[in-house]
Amino acid sequence: MRLRLLGTGSADGWPNPWCGCASCGWAREHQVRTQTAVLVEDRLLIDCGPDVPRAATRFGVRLADVRHLLFSHAHGDHTSPEALLWRTWSTVATRPLDVVGPPASLDACRPFVAPPDGDTGALRFHPAHAGDVLSLDGFVIRALAANHGAAFVGPALLYDITAPDGGRLLYACDTAAPLPPATLDALAGRAFDVVLMEENNGDRPGFGDHLDLATFADVLAELRRRGAVAEATRVVAVHLGHRNPPGDELARRLALMGAHLHPDGTVIDTATGNLPGNAAAGGVPGTTASDGAPGPAAAAGPAGTDGGGRPGRTVFRGTHSPAGPPRPYRVLITGGARSGKSAEAERRLAAWPEVLYVATAGPVPPDDADWAARVAAHRTRRPAHWTTLETADLPPLLRADGPPLLIDCLTLWLTAHLGEEPPAGEWPAGLRELVAAWRDTRRHVIAVTNEAGSGIVPATALGRRFRDALGRINAAVAAESDEVWHVVAGIPTRLR
Ligand SMILES: [Zn+2]
Ligand SMILES: [Zn+2]
Ligand SMILES: [Zn+2]
């Protein structure tokens, strides 16, 4: 199955042409994305907003061979009646074209290409509803309900497509989370080759019926649980706009989920295994990138040269295989209070189906409302499917086998162990045991800790002892970690 991403942008594109925000400024300089559409085997086009025909032209692609056009829904960035009008002015005006979409999409097109009383000429309109299965020229197309735009465009559809060579594609654009239950049921066990899924909102949720980075992770975790996304599935984020972070941060965040970011014009060919790398800013539009997807062993660095061929650009090499976080793999995340270190730790595991969250704080004291509120806020932020364990006894967990472990945090673990008075010059036994278990673990494990000691010297002896002990713990655990990150003002910086 050969796919050409004619566009990977949101309705307004990235950059939004009117906008002066930092994200648009970066995109203007590094990576322009126009409205999302994909061409399958050069003859099945999914979505066609007004940007799409000209994007095809820029990539050297002729739409003359397109035999089938699928509209996901009637929003203007997906359904452009003008594009069909332009076709009637071309040399292929009389060739048959199947136009498939929700009734609202077809209704929007009819006045441009046919008399109001019916279809004429070469266009064959096929109204599609959730649950419909359509066979066209060797393609099997299943329409599924999206969670999007109901009030304005009628039902929006996702498409589950089997190509003539057996390649399987899920086109999930546009939708919010969660996917409707009937859609999830229909997707169970599909083990798609490629999933194109929208991620419109980045770190700024709440715009339209769209996914943001957090809900993208939720949906992906659900698709993994259902077997719709399997080890070999290539998940690609599309419908990207300026609510996403600028720079390489988006590629980094997607790589943590086992998902990819590709420039407009990218070709994905599952039959030849010609799969592009995870280019953040690089990649040459209109060419087939082929640096080969890096495996976890070769993928440790946050930046490298762009496999797509453009020199000097950076590209994030994901640290995770599509199967899940690598094991064993130890990540330490440090930062000051409210720096965003816990959120960074959580988002690293958010797209994986099973996670054990270890709260080292222990039970909330009955008279501490502030503490209870903090714990509750943390809890609501975590995905509902995670298991939570409240304990400060970490070595047995590190030595056991099981799903990825998120330990939040070592600072509170220290509080529980501060009573251990070591002989002068020696480490507390609890710390020695923790570091040994951390070194020996077979699990993927992420621990959060506080960066202390940069401020004033604590006034009390206990405060000084705590600060010193925390510094020693951080250094000892960091020394035994595969990755170490420092979060400042919500921005993670890699130390190792
Ligand atoms: Zn859209
Ligand atoms: Zn902007
Ligand atoms: Zn839409």
Side-chain angles (χ1 to χ4, degrees):
M1 181 175 60
R2 188 172 185 274
L3 309 175
R4 162 87 70 168
L5 303 176
L6 291 178
T8 59
S10 56
D12 49 342
W14 190 14
N16 175 312
W18 303 90
C19 190
C21 79
S23 179
C24 285
W26 175 84
R28 208 164 270 124
E29 191 175 341
H30 294 282
Q31 185 76 85
V32 172
R33 296 176 188 273
T34 61
Q35 292 160 351
T36 294
V38 59
L39 185 59
V40 186
E41 305 287 10
D42 293 327
R43 61 183 193 275
L44 176 91
L45 176 61
I46 311 179
D47 276 338
C48 187
D51 287 348
V52 174
R54 270 175 285 273
T57 302
R58 284 196 198 94
F59 297 133
V61 176
R62 228 171 36 139
L63 296 180
D65 297 327
V66 172
R67 288 285 174 276
H68 320 290
L69 171 57
L70 270 56
F71 291 126
S72 60
H73 62 297
H75 278 153
D77 55 317
H78 300 263
T79 297
S80 163
E82 294 89 340
L84 286 180
L85 177 65
W86 303 333
R87 187 178 184 274
T88 66
W89 305 340
S90 78
T91 53
V92 299
T94 57
R95 280 202 220 161
L97 178 73
D98 295 297
V99 183
V100 180
S105 279
L106 305 188
D107 289 346
C109 294
R110 282 197 177 91
F112 284 76
V113 293
D117 54 342
D119 309 335
T120 63
L123 299 184
R124 297 185 294 229
F125 283 6
H126 307 269
H129 303 88
D132 287 357
V133 181
L134 195 67
S135 286
L136 288 174
D137 186 24
F139 290 96
V140 179
I141 298 155
R142 284 206 302 170
L144 303 167
N147 178 358
H148 183 81
F152 303 101
V153 294
L157 297 175
L158 313 181
Y159 288 111
D160 167 349
I161 292 167
T162 307
D165 70 354
R168 295 181 300 278
L169 165 69
L170 174 64
Y171 183 84
C173 184
D174 300 347
T175 188
L179 299 184
T183 297
L184 286 171
D185 289 345
L187 293 174
R190 287 289 285 150
F192 290 98
D193 295 293
V194 179
V195 170
L196 303 178
M197 191 155 79
E198 78 133 278
E199 194 286 289
N200 194 83
N201 286 351
D203 282 323
R204 295 167 57 202
F207 176 81
D209 300 328
H210 289 294
L211 299 178
D212 52 69
L213 279 162
T215 50
F216 183 93
D218 290 343
V219 173
L220 190 48
E222 186 65 39
L223 293 177
R224 287 193 166 110
R225 261 193 300 282
R226 304 253 179 173
V229 169
E231 184 172 347
T233 304
R234 168 157 292 238
V235 178
V236 181
V238 294
H239 211 280
L240 302 158
H242 67 155
R243 301 172 82 84
N244 278 284
D248 288 348
E249 176 65 2
L250 179 59
R252 186 186 80 84
R253 298 273 290 277
L254 290 168
L256 293 172
M257 303 181 203
H260 292 258
L261 181 66
H262 295 314
D264 287 14
T266 297
V267 171
I268 300 171
D269 194 331
T270 59
T272 62
N274 194 1
L275 302 173
N278 199 7
V284 181
T287 63
T288 302
S290 60
D291 62 16
T305 54
D306 167 32
R310 187 182 298 182
R313 298 291 176 93
T314 56
V315 47
F316 182 77
R317 306 285 186 205
T319 56
H320 291 165
S321 77
R327 292 145 51 103
Y329 206 79
R330 290 140 295 220
V331 182
L332 180 68
I333 299 175
T334 181
R338 299 281 185 222
S339 61
K341 60 192 187 304
S342 291
E344 168 64 16
E346 288 159 18
R347 65 170 65 119
R348 296 178 78 95
L349 294 173
W352 303 102
E354 222 192 324
V355 174
L356 179 57
Y357 179 94
V358 185
T360 54
V364 177
D367 54 347
D368 196 336
D370 174 60
W371 191 247
R374 280 164 182 260
V375 170
H378 268 246
R379 194 168 287 153
T380 50
R381 201 175 57 197
R382 291 197 296 272
H385 65 271
W386 287 13
T387 309
T388 299
L389 195 62
E390 290 181 353
T391 178
D393 192 11
L394 301 179
L397 289 171
L398 290 166
R399 293 191 187 284
D401 221 346
L405 212 56
L406 199 169
I407 299 168
D408 197 354
C409 60
L410 295 183
T411 318
L412 293 166
W413 174 88
L414 174 64
T415 313
H417 288 79
L418 202 61
E420 299 173 13
E421 277 294 350
E426 276 186 40
W427 284 12
L431 175 58
R432 278 203 308 271
E433 227 183 294
L434 173 70
V435 173
W438 180 265
R439 180 193 303 126
D440 295 343
T441 191
R442 298 270 317 128
R443 304 178 88 148
H444 185 98
V445 56
I446 297 175
V448 176
T449 190
N450 274 80
E451 198 48 38
S454 305
I456 54 169
V457 176
T460 64
L462 182 66
R464 288 191 292 275
R465 228 181 89 211
F466 186 85
R467 179 200 63 179
D468 294 350
L470 186 60
R472 278 206 305 274
I473 290 170
N474 289 350
V477 173
E480 300 291 345
S481 295
D482 298 279
E483 288 185 29
V484 182
W485 292 77
H486 184 211
V487 184
V488 181
I491 298 175
T493 304
R494 190 166 177 172
L495 304 178
R496 163 185 281 187

